[in-house]
Amino acid sequence: SASAREAAVAPPGGRSTLRRMTERVVVAGAVYDRGRLLAARRSAPEELAGRWELPGGKLEPGERPEEALVRELREELGVETEPLARIPGSWPLKPGYVLQVWTARLVSGEPRPLEDHDALRWLGPDETDTVDWLDQDRPAVAEAARLLRDS
Ligand code: DCM
């Protein structure tokens, strides 16, 4: 059975290999421009609407995270971006999904809330606490703010 298989590969106290192999990645961008970080307010689904996030979305099968990030930011915001570096860490979302975050720089375009968002805000390094971030985004936002402050 699936549960027996899962138990068979589960390290003590850890998540099973099977679980990790089937986990889907959501990639989000800490997008920088002129010393500020981009925050996006979700318009859906209802339980997340009104909360702020680092914009991004799900990897398509066969896609690399950096490719998925560039595609999602183009679709959702109408901008071109260049991924820079992974922010270390991986944060659980709903069951079966994990969040990974990359820093990225704005290459061209002015972000507009085309899909999934109803407001955007550029935050300076000392303004990152001024919006109500999704809980799962907070560690990456804190690290992104630190990188911004040190840059
Ligand atoms: N998500 C998140 N934090 C982000 C981006 C996305 O928690 N910075 C979550 C919200 C959704 C899922 O990932 O449950 C997929 O995102 P989307 O609906 O934008 O494709």
Side-chain angles (χ1 to χ4, degrees), residues 26 28 42 48 53-54 56-58 76 93-94 99 116 134 136-137:
V26 172
R42 290 194 69 102
L48 304 180
E53 69 172 9
L54 300 171
K58 298 183 190 84
E76 293 187 355
L93 302 173
K94 59 194 167 188
L99 176 68
D116 300 338
L134 291 174
Q136 55 269 29
D137 285 42

